[in-house]
């Protein structure tokens, strides 16, 4: 197979990065060039809420130079992603249009959960070491310039992932207006970090043992490059980090510039970075810190290679998304046995109706997650559970899902027990443009209606929560979805609920669902 040249562009909070990669199924992924330009977009966003015209001008100029470099390498394809600084800027849509007009690049703003999942794929591409490390309790720590992400693994299953407002640029912005000595600033940073980590520890680390940390992102690479780690390679222990921390705390920003040979921007970010990592090490009690040298651009390349079948991962990422969703359902006390039966029914209906719904594996995954979370709102209000479920899902990041995909799931759950109104489905138009190119508001509404119809029908089949139809078989015959069960007991509740949901299902698919009981005592 011919080698494909690909460019990955990261419009980050503190710098613009581009990686040039060669990839093929035979040789895998190889980075051949890496270009960086420091530009503190987040400095404007986190303090002013928007990016200034001067920075937009500089950004367009640098991205234009990236385009010329791509032509030199004869790049066949590219992906350009923007993260938190652009995501939180009020004028982001104007800036994206400026970039498109002036450079020809289409930059897509990705959600935080997508960003972290992409980086996670780059680690998983290092299959042997990654699979070995996560056999023990492991956390992936990604301290970026805008935020920090902590993802916990139990053996090879992802338990949870949480985003914390502990990005180094954001922390520095909080302290910028407070005059203080180096020692006082260190204590203030520790207070900020400890405050955010307290809740995380209480909710997710109660009985969990963390042996290993995996550090990714630009900040940890920058720290490692300033530490004397010849004896450690890409793995360090807490003692080495503590020695570097103690050494750094004795220096002013000017001294850091001189000693480490960096500019003032980087020097002022080094202390917040080290404090965050040190406190996380102490919080988890981890024995080892593995730094595989991963940047977001590497993750973008890994994602592209996987999507185009140029590489095959041994790790199942879909299982991670489902594991995170199941842990979320567990947190909100969802009925586990009912969910298991409901998954069987909903996926059975989806698979039986392939010729009629025209949906793919990604939509099947969204349906499965909707099943897992359909009753999470009962944790707050049994009477108004669907609205509470909507709010919980919209307020909780699920790794690997875009904001729009979460919005689709939230709406499916919302309309599970509410009349479907095509004109009042809550969608943010801006997010349609960012996350699903080529999709319109109406097509997303129809997708929500299809998944809602399947969830409603599946839910009606377990109305009593007693798995009476566990042995059922499904087949489409003569414009009817025939669901046959050998259950011999009373099915009055299921039959009544099924008949109520059948009309909406037929309205959406043009196929009438029919429930048949083989024999009855």
């Amino acid at each position: 197979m011919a080698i494909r040249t690909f460019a990955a562009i990261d419009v980050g909070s503190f710098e613009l990065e581009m990686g040039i990669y060669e990839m093929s199924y035979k040789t895998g992924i190889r980075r051949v060039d890496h270009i960086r330009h420091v530009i503190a977009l987040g400095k404007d966003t986190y303090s002013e809420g928007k990016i200034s015209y001067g920075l937009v001008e500089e950004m367009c100029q640098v991205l234009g130079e990236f385009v010329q470099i791509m032509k030199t390498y004869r790049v066949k394809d590219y992906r350009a992603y923007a993260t938190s600084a652009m995501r939180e800027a009020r004028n982001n849509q104007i800036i994206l249009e400026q970039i498109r007009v002036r450079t020809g690049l289409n930059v897509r703003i990705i959600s935080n959960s997508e960003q972290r999942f992409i980086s996670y794929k780059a680690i998983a591409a290092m299959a042997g070491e990654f699979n070995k490390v996560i056999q023990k309790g492991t956390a992936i720590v990604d301290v970026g310039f805008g935020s920090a992400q902590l993802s916990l693994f139990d053996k090879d299953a992802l338990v949870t992932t949480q985003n914390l407002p502990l990005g180094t640029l954001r922390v520095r912005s909080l302290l910028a207006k407070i005059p203080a000595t180096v020692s006082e600033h260190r204590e203030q940073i520790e207070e900020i970090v400890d405050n955010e980590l307290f809740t995380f520890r209480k909710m997710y680390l109660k009985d969990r043992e963390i042996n290993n940390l995996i550090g990714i992102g630009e900040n940890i690479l920058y720290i490692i490059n300033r530490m004397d780690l010849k004896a450690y390679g890409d793995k360090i222990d807490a003692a080495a980090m503590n020695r570097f921390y103690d050494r750094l705390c004795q220096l002013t920003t000017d001294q850091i510039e001189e000693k480490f040979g960096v500019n003032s921007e980087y020097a002022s970010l080094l202390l917040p970075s080290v404090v965050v990592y040190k406190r996380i090490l102490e919080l988890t009690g981890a024995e080892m810190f593995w730094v595989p040298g991963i940047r977001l651009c590497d993750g973008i390349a890994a994602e592209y290679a996987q999507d185009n079948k140029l590489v095959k991962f041994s790790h199942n990422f879909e299982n991670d998304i489902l594991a995170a969703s199941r842990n979320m359902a567990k947190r909100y006390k969802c009925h586990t046995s009912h969910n298991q039966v409901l998954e069987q029914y909903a996926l059975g209906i989806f698979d039986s109706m392939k010729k009629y719904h025209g949906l793919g594996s990604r939509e099947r995954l969204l349906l499965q997650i909707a099943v897992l979370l359909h009753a999470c709102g009962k944790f707050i209000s049994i009477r108004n559970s669907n609205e509470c479920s909507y709010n919980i899902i919209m307020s909780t990041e699920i790794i690997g899902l875009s904001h729009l995909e979460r919005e689709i799931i939230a709406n499916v759950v919302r309309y599970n027990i509410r009349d479907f109104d095509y004109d009042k489905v809550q969608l943010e138009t801006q997010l349609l443009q960012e996350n699903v190119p080529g999709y319109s508001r109406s097509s997303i509404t129809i997708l929500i209606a299809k998944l809602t119809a399947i969830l409603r029908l599946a839910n009606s089949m377990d109305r009593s929560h007693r798995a009476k139809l566990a042995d059922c078989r499904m087949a489409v015959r003569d414009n009817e979805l025939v669901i046959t069960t050998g259950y011999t007991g009373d099915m009055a509740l299921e039959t009544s609920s099924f008949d109520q949901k059948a009309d909406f299902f037929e309205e959406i698919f043009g196929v009438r669902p029919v429930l048949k009981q083989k024999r009855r005592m």
Side-chain angles (χ1 to χ4, degrees), residues 117 120 156-158 315-326 365 368:
F117 199 56
Y120 167 38
D156 60 348
L158 182 67
H315 189 80
N316 190 318
F317 296 104
E318 191 172 291
N319 284 348
D320 289 323
I321 300 173
L322 289 171
S325 302
R326 286 196 172 97
L365 177 64
Q368 200 168 355

Side-chain angles (χ1 to χ4, degrees), residues 375-394:
C376 64
K378 289 183 178 180
F379 185 82
I380 297 172
S381 169
I382 295 176
R383 182 183 179 88
N384 200 28
S385 64
N386 64 324
E387 293 298 326
C388 293
S389 296
Y390 176 91
N391 291 325
I392 287 172
I393 294 167
M394 289 305 297

Side-chain angles (χ1 to χ4, degrees), residues 273-339:
S273 301
V274 175
V275 172
V276 173
Y277 280 109
K278 178 181 179 292
R279 301 305 272 186
I280 291 173
L281 268 169
E282 291 175 346
L283 170 76
T284 58
E287 302 164 357
M288 186 268 289
F289 208 143
W290 177 40
V291 184
I294 295 301
R295 292 180 167 88
L296 182 61
C297 286
D298 299 321
I300 297 171
E303 178 198 53
Y304 176 84
Q306 184 189 31
D307 291 347
N308 288 273
K309 295 180 171 56
L310 297 170
V311 67
K312 186 176 181 180
F313 292 109
S314 59
H315 189 80
N316 190 318
F317 296 104
E318 191 172 291
N319 284 348
D320 289 323
I321 300 173
L322 289 171
S325 302
R326 286 196 172 97
N327 277 291
M328 184 176 163
K330 184 178 178 182
R331 189 191 321 156
Y332 290 106
K333 312 298 182 187
C334 293
H335 193 160
T336 303
S337 59
H338 172 60
N339 274 358

Side-chain angles (χ1 to χ4, degrees), residues 399-413:
I399 193 167
L401 298 184
S402 69
H403 187 103
L404 180 60
E405 287 176 324
R406 216 157 20 98
E407 212 166 19
I408 290 168
I409 293 165
N411 274 292
V412 170
V413 168

